[in-house]
Amino acid sequence: MNTGLNHKAGLESEAFRRMAYEPSYRKLSALSEQAEDMLRKENYRGVSRMLRIYHESETVVAEIARLIQKSDLCRTPRQAAESDVRELYGKLAETRLAEQGRKGQAEMAPEQADRVNVLIAMHTFMLSHHVQRHPECGIVPPDNNDVKEAVRVLDADTRTSERTFSGLYHFLMEGSQPSMYALLRYDMADDYRLHNLMDSGSVDSAALERECGKLPDFLELDARLTRKAEKALESLCKCPPVPYLEKMNEELEKLGRLAHKPDNIDDPFINRDFLVKYGIDHRSPVEERARQVETAYRELDARFVRMTGRRLYADDLFGTVKPKAEIKEAGTDKPERQKPKGRRMGF
């Protein structure tokens, strides 16, 4: 009985709140146009004032959050650290909708509350990286627990994950630049910046060494960056698109050819960047190189199992079979499997 009364009281309270704080459709449309104009003119303080005035209104805050998301104000840590932007996100965090979302109580507008908290999480994430890179800026860094929670919120957000996956996919397939969020989230930012500087050839090597220390081999840097991007992409999508799988399958086949003939290191289809990516030293003795090839093949083969659900090919390729004693104990008459000769290592 008390539960029913409490529910009725809650509905009445919500109805009263809406009457008191939620504007009419015409008023909301006018406020939306005003906020959009201020964001276009980078008048972030004006938007902050609007949030302060309408902090109790879920519809106004949700609309302003939509416009902020559209404006993408936190593309980089430097943008997130601007004083007007920090004030704007601070006011957004103080709204009723943000508070209800943090408590999981936004029954009337859960999607809008999620959007608000994703925006706040992105700002927290970017600001923490700016302060970490520029401790002399004098900005108070976000609390570590808040940063961890921000990462959790962003990882759980479908829109953020899809945009991150798309950026990484086009980086790996076409060389396009990923978002700064993707670079920072997956520890690629420093390598990507150094890669671009070294690749451009417009920066003096001595000056770059003074700034970054001893420069790595360019192919090793490129391989490290590629491996990080592939790991991130495969963590975001358990079954990546077919073009990506085909590209990786071509690399698996190259490793398979090297496994059959590890001394065929000068194959025109096998470049040095490919060898560096998979940790194969072309200067090593043939026996050592064969071990490196097997390790690389097994790791990529296992990734294919996770991505496609197919069986392992490595045991067939490298002739790993059960000893005869184990076969007899299992009560089978099956002959020992022979190593396949020259078959295509497809996926």
Side-chain angles (χ1 to χ4, degrees):
M1 187 68 178
N2 288 338
T3 303
L5 290 173
N6 289 338
H7 179 67
K8 183 178 179 181
L11 290 176
E12 291 175 351
S13 175
E14 175 60 20
F16 176 78
R17 188 198 67 78
R18 286 182 173 274
M19 289 177 60
Y21 296 110
E22 301 300 344
S24 66
Y25 177 77
R26 181 177 295 182
K27 177 68 172 177
L28 179 63
S29 297
L31 289 171
S32 176
E33 290 180 7
Q34 186 179 352
E36 186 171 22
D37 183 63
M38 287 190 288
L39 287 169
R40 185 169 53 250
K41 295 176 179 177
E42 299 183 2
N43 180 12
Y44 304 136
R45 289 190 174 182
V47 183
S48 297
R49 285 193 297 271
M50 189 179 291
L51 284 170
R52 186 172 64 251
I53 294 169
Y54 293 96
H55 69 279
E56 287 286 344
S57 171
E58 291 185 354
T59 54
V60 173
V61 172
E63 178 61 13
I64 291 175
R66 183 187 70 82
L67 295 171
I68 291 174
Q69 186 180 63
K70 181 180 175 182
S71 300
D72 199 10
L73 301 184
C74 290
R75 288 188 298 273
T76 67
R78 184 180 295 277
Q79 286 178 307
E82 293 176 5
S83 60
D84 290 354
V85 173
R86 283 187 285 123
E87 181 185 0
L88 173 59
Y89 279 89
K91 293 302 178 186
L92 185 62
E94 293 171 0
T95 61
R96 181 181 187 278
L97 189 58
E99 182 65 25
Q100 295 292 93
R102 285 192 292 272
K103 293 179 179 178
Q105 297 174 351
E107 298 178 1
M108 302 299 173
E111 292 183 6
Q112 290 88 335
D114 287 345
R115 175 186 289 157
V116 168
N117 285 317
V118 167
L119 287 171
I120 295 169
M122 182 62 77
H123 181 257
T124 301
F125 178 84
M126 289 294 186
L127 184 62
S128 70
H129 277 279
H130 179 82
V131 177
Q132 185 178 350
R133 178 62 67 91
H134 303 284
E136 75 285 354
C137 67
I139 299 173
V140 178
D143 183 79
N144 285 336
N145 290 329
D146 290 341
V147 176
K148 290 178 183 178
E149 177 62 14
V151 171
R152 186 197 67 78
V153 169
L154 293 170
D155 285 350
D157 180 57
T158 302
R159 184 175 183 273
T160 302
S161 297
E162 287 176 350
R163 290 181 65 186
T164 303
F165 172 83
S166 178
L168 291 170
Y169 177 78
H170 289 292
F171 167 67
L172 290 169
M173 302 300 290
E174 304 165 6
S176 304
Q177 180 174 343
S179 67
M180 180 56 71
Y181 168 73
L183 294 174
L184 290 170
R185 175 66 183 88
Y186 296 103
D187 191 28
M188 297 165 57
D190 290 339
D191 284 346
Y192 186 81
R193 176 176 175 273
L194 184 57
H195 183 280
N196 281 356
L197 288 173
M198 292 177 67
D199 192 38
S200 68
S202 59
V203 181
D204 180 63
S205 297
L208 200 56
E209 283 192 1
R210 284 194 297 272
E211 179 185 350
C212 305
K214 184 179 179 181
L215 299 179
D217 177 81
F218 181 77
L219 289 181
E220 291 179 358
L221 177 63
D222 184 76
R224 185 168 70 221
L225 192 59
T226 302
R227 287 193 299 268
K228 287 181 178 181
E230 288 177 357
K231 183 179 179 180
L233 181 142
E234 291 168 23
S235 72
L236 290 168
C237 181
K238 301 306 178 186
C239 186
V242 170
Y244 176 80
L245 292 174
E246 289 177 341
K247 177 175 179 289
M248 301 311 298
N249 187 65
E250 290 176 3
E251 298 188 2
L252 188 69
E253 289 178 349
K254 287 182 182 180
L255 290 170
R257 289 199 294 271
L258 274 178
H260 281 298
K261 295 182 179 180
D263 58 339
N264 194 19
I265 202 70
D266 298 320
D267 188 315
F269 295 101
I270 298 175
N271 301 320
R272 183 165 173 255
D273 56 350
F274 173 82
L275 298 174
V276 172
K277 177 183 177 183
Y278 287 102
I280 302 167
D281 187 351
H282 68 285
R283 297 164 298 186
S284 297
V286 175
E287 296 79 7
E288 176 61 25
R289 198 158 61 234
R291 284 192 289 271
Q292 294 168 350
V293 170
E294 179 174 354
T295 298
Y297 188 98
R298 288 187 179 279
E299 289 177 356
L300 183 54
D301 191 39
R303 285 164 58 188
F304 262 98
V305 173
R306 291 193 296 272
M307 290 188 290
T308 67
R310 67 149 173 81
R311 66 180 181 83
L312 284 168
Y313 289 167
D315 289 348
D316 290 345
L317 179 62
F318 296 102
T320 305
V321 295
K322 289 183 177 181
K324 292 182 179 179
E326 290 186 22
I327 295 175
K328 289 180 180 178
E329 288 176 9
T332 64
D333 315 341
K334 294 181 181 178
E336 187 174 343
R337 248 177 137 174
Q338 300 300 315
K339 182 164 68 173
K341 296 183 179 178
R343 76 180 182 87
R344 177 182 173 88
M345 301 308 295
F347 64 86

